[in-house]
């Protein structure tokens, strides 16, 4: 079965950085584009970033463009999201997701809280 385990979140101050990780198993990781989504309390899910299977095609939401770096290590079956210059509005639960999957396959998520 598809399994995704997010990690790397935490409580951080504005202006700092975090690197989130997503360990994937149960499918051929390299053949799938992967995404990061986030959801703040009371808000709808927001798509954050996407990376193609080989890592050559990358897209970001306007809200994180210039501050985020999505990457992947296909030998480790791991997806990453580096977030720099963190803002309070980045506070959310962050999920990784394989292309074409429903919310129930996104894993537990990792909480990012940006506060002074």
């Amino acid at each position: 079965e598809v399994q995704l385990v997010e990690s790397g979140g935490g409580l951080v101050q504005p202006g700092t950085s975090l690197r989130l990780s997503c360990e994937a198993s149960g499918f051929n990781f390299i053949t799938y584009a992967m995404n990061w989504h986030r959801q703040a309390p009371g808000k709808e899910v927001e798509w954050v970033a996407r990376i193609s299977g080989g890592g050559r095609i990358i897209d970001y939401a306007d809200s994180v463009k210039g501050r985020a770096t999505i990457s992947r290590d296909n030998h480790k079956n791991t997806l990453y999201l580096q977030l720099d210059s963190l803002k309070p509005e980045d506070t959310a639960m962050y999920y990784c997701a394989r292309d074409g999957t429903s919310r129930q396959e996104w894993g537990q998520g990792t909480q990012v809280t940006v506060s002074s």
Side-chain angles (χ1 to χ4, degrees):
E1 64 182 28
V2 173
Q3 289 187 309
L4 300 170
V5 181
E6 298 94 342
S7 63
L11 173 62
V12 297
Q13 293 187 332
T16 62
S17 299
L18 279 176
R19 187 181 68 171
L20 311 182
S21 298
C22 170
E23 297 181 351
S25 61
F27 64 100
N28 293 327
F29 184 71
I30 193 172
T31 68
Y32 287 92
M34 297 291 295
N35 303 266
W36 284 98
H37 299 83
R38 66 186 183 184
Q39 185 172 33
K43 302 290 187 178
E44 294 186 354
V45 172
E46 177 189 15
W47 170 81
V48 174
R50 181 180 186 272
I51 185 169
S52 63
R56 294 173 293 174
I57 304 173
I58 293 172
D59 294 288
Y60 298 101
D62 288 342
S63 58
V64 301
K65 194 169 297 182
R67 301 186 298 117
T69 303
I70 188 171
S71 61
R72 63 194 296 161
D73 186 332
N74 286 333
H75 288 105
K76 296 181 178 179
N77 285 2
T78 302
L79 177 73
Y80 303 97
L81 181 68
Q82 175 80 27
L83 289 172
D84 301 316
S85 301
L86 284 161
K87 306 173 180 180
E89 48 263 49
D90 294 318
T91 296
M93 186 72 74
Y94 284 72
Y95 302 91
C96 64
R98 196 184 78 184
D99 250 20
T101 60
S102 60
R103 177 72 175 273
Q104 62 186 330
E105 297 177 278
W106 292 4
Q108 308 97 327
T110 185
Q111 178 68 41
V112 172
T113 303
V114 184
S115 177
S116 60

